[in-house]
Amino acid sequence: MNQSGIVLVLGIRPDVIRASIIIRELRSRLGKSFKLIWSGQHYSDNLKDVFFRELGLSAPEIELGISGANDAELVSSMISELSKVLVEENPAAVVFLGDTNTVTGSIAAAQLNIPIIHIEGCMRSYDWRMPEEKYRTIADHLSDLIYAYIDEYKAQGVAEGIPTENIMVSGNPIVDVLQEYFLSGKLRMTPQNFNELLRDKYRVIDEEFLLMTCHRRENVENNDALQNIFNLAGGSTRKVLFPAGYRTQKMLKEFNISLPDNLVMVDPVGYLELLELMCASKGILTDSGTVVEEAAVLGIPTIQMRTATERPQVYECGASIKFDPFAPCENKALLEKLEKLRGSMWHHPFGDGKASYRIVEDIITRFENSNYRGHQPSKYAPFSTKSFMSEK
Ligand code: UDP
């Protein structure tokens, strides 16, 4: 049996971005006692490897290579493949992040009575039709320890009966990543390289543009909603640059939706390119959970194209405007509102740029105190947690 260590299980593009500092710090501080397990939900170069390269991370120690033609197959592959690895590795604790098929691996850890930690816990959209809402709720209620980004998320978990002492408020690691890589200048293009990219790839020369990302299943798998999203983009007088997920591209073909003349669609791009595009844009149309947070931190206004969101804070702080793809409104007025927001100031609530370090410090302290193996295999282990964010 191997030595008991900590394993972190991730599987999609935003996971590696958001957890990049956590991975780096856990690797450097725990050495061989830490392993990154990649589920394989995302596996292509431009949805996975490019982010490891750009963020200076070596490849995952373990690749599960899960597969399946639908969610049921993917989830069963996730549970059975992870279970084999957990039996082999016998970790002191398993860490999950977020709300995708990958976090259903928490069922494998629960079956083996291995302590479970959930980063990005207790977010809720209160739209039970979303697969993410079911997955994050399952992961939270199986977890022994939850890192919630803000006090509001913790309150949501407590309202569902999760003991307050099992939820630590950590801040949101995306703020740390943006500060450490992009705002510091470490991960930046030169203005000349960026202008060449705009000219050669997007046919943009000295003109202002909007950026769009759109991948959420509830939007792209519904003909009307997807058409309404492209009507919104087409209503702008500006060029709209659109790095499109593969599912979105497939559904556009299936529904026979034609692209508006002002829209330039490309395959998904790397993080550096996306951040440069984001910052140079007049505003962003997006249904991405991470992009609305990043834009709020970077001071770029967004139209969030979602019926329900687990991140209403971006509306509340004045960084984002709602567009419901299932109940379209006056597009022109909405686009004008977006443009007016550019340059206005808001205070984002996502944290101080130290969340990754808090999470790592806490995981390591518990690991060194062998607080995991003393774990009671009951629904809620008596961990002691406190809110760092409310300490200020
Ligand atoms: N992103 C990227 N290239 C792209 C589109 C998005 O690097 O072509 C980044 C984006 O900056 C954010 C993350 O990927 O950090 C968001 O991923 P996605 O929207 O797929 O997931 P969600 O956040 O909605 O779960």
Side-chain angles (χ1 to χ4, degrees):
M1 187 78 67
N2 291 348
Q3 182 199 8
S4 274
I6 300 291
V7 297
L8 169 62
V9 186
L10 303 176
I12 60 164
R13 164 174 70 188
D15 292 353
V16 58
I17 294 171
R18 195 183 290 276
S20 53
I21 297 174
I22 296 174
I23 298 167
R24 187 191 71 203
E25 291 298 304
L26 285 173
R27 271 193 177 139
S28 114
R29 293 185 57 186
L30 291 178
K32 287 192 183 338
S33 295
F34 170 73
K35 285 185 181 162
L36 173 61
I37 300 178
W38 188 258
S39 72
Q41 246 187 284
H42 282 171
Y43 48 82
S44 57
D45 187 80
N46 63 349
L47 288 177
K48 176 192 169 218
D49 301 322
V50 64
F51 302 102
F52 282 85
R53 284 196 301 276
E54 288 184 336
L55 297 164
L57 297 167
S58 47
E61 280 78 7
I62 298 171
E63 302 263 3
L64 296 182
I66 64 164
S67 61
N70 53 41
D71 284 334
E73 288 179 15
L74 273 172
V75 167
S76 45
S77 172
M78 181 67 214
I79 295 171
S80 55
E81 293 308 314
L82 183 62
S83 189
K84 288 179 219 158
V85 170
L86 293 181
V87 168
E88 172 73 16
E89 294 291 326
N90 185 31
V94 192
V95 187
F96 295 90
L97 187 157
D99 53 22
T100 62
N101 281 322
T102 296
V103 303
T104 63
S106 54
I107 294 170
Q111 286 165 335
L112 295 164
N113 282 324
I114 298 171
I116 298 167
I117 300 173
H118 187 207
I119 302 176
E120 196 173 293
C122 302
M123 276 190 178
R124 296 289 181 269
S125 65
Y126 300 105
D127 182 349
W128 194 245
R129 291 166 307 172
M130 292 172 65
E132 296 96 325
E133 184 79 350
K134 296 176 187 110
Y135 292 161
R136 57 186 163 237
T137 305
I138 291 169
D140 283 335
H141 284 266
L142 289 177
S143 287
D144 301 284
L145 173 64
I146 293 170
Y147 296 108
Y149 295 156
I150 58 176
D151 290 322
E152 230 172 303
Y153 301 156
K154 172 168 177 164
Q156 293 170 174
V158 171
E160 287 175 13
I162 300 174
T164 182
E165 61 272 22
N166 287 14
I167 310 174
M168 175 192 284
V169 178
S170 60
N172 188 329
I174 203 69
V175 181
D176 327 356
V177 175
L178 289 169
Q179 285 183 1
E180 210 166 297
Y181 287 90
F182 190 71
L183 296 172
S184 70
K186 197 166 151 191
L187 189 71
R188 288 303 302 250
M189 284 184 188
T190 63
Q192 192 192 341
N193 287 350
F194 183 56
N195 283 335
E196 282 170 14
L197 176 91
L198 284 179
R199 186 193 62 207
D200 300 341
K201 182 168 175 180
Y202 296 98
R203 304 187 300 281
V204 167
I205 304 166
D206 286 338
E207 63 182 299
E208 285 168 330
F209 59 86
L210 300 179
L211 178 68
M212 176 160 113
T213 81
C214 172
H215 73 96
R216 291 220 103 71
R217 201 188 294 198
E218 65 267 24
N219 286 341
V220 306
E221 291 189 349
N222 181 288
N223 193 344
D224 292 341
L226 196 56
Q227 183 64 65
N228 288 336
I229 285 170
F230 281 85
N231 290 348
L232 176 67
S236 174
T237 51
R238 301 190 189 282
K239 219 167 238 176
V240 178
L241 313 188
F242 178 37
Y246 295 115
R247 187 205 300 261
T248 312
Q249 296 190 36
K250 180 173 151 257
M251 295 315 295
L252 279 169
K253 276 199 196 113
E254 252 178 72
F255 293 144
N256 205 14
I257 293 176
S258 41
L259 299 180
D261 292 342
N262 62 330
L263 186 132
V264 182
M265 185 167 84
V266 297
D267 282 344
V269 301
Y271 196 40
L272 172 59
E273 183 168 332
L274 204 279
L275 289 175
E276 293 285 2
L277 290 173
M278 219 187 251
C279 280
S281 73
K282 284 290 278 181
I284 305 170
L285 318 180
T286 186
D287 63 3
S288 161
T290 312
V291 170
V292 286
E293 291 174 350
E294 289 169 333
V297 174
L298 295 170
I300 319 296
T302 51
I303 291 180
Q304 191 174 205
M305 307 187 294
R306 293 177 63 172
T307 305
T309 179
E310 62 288 338
R311 292 163 168 94
Q313 294 75 24
V314 294
Y315 300 135
E316 289 153 15
C317 76
S320 192
I321 310 161
K322 178 172 173 169
F323 172 75
D324 183 349
F326 291 84
C329 55
E330 176 48 57
N331 288 340
K332 199 162 165 280
L334 206 68
L335 290 161
E336 276 167 12
K337 221 165 144 190
L338 176 76
E339 301 248 347
K340 285 204 186 108
L341 267 185
R342 186 72 160 111
S344 57
M345 303 284 280
W346 55 76
H347 177 72
H348 75 78
F350 296 122
D352 59 0
K354 298 193 180 89
S356 307
Y357 296 97
R358 279 189 195 104
I359 291 171
V360 168
E361 197 56 50
D362 190 64
I363 289 176
I364 289 179
T365 305
R366 290 167 197 276
F367 179 62
E368 286 174 350
N369 294 339
S370 298
N371 207 356
Y372 298 114
R373 277 303 172 192
H375 161 79
Q376 306 286 313
S378 60
K379 189 175 175 197
Y380 293 116
F383 282 112
S384 144
T385 55
K386 57 182 179 164
S387 163
F388 288 93
M389 298 293 288
S390 1
E391 245 175 28
K392 285 187 288 182

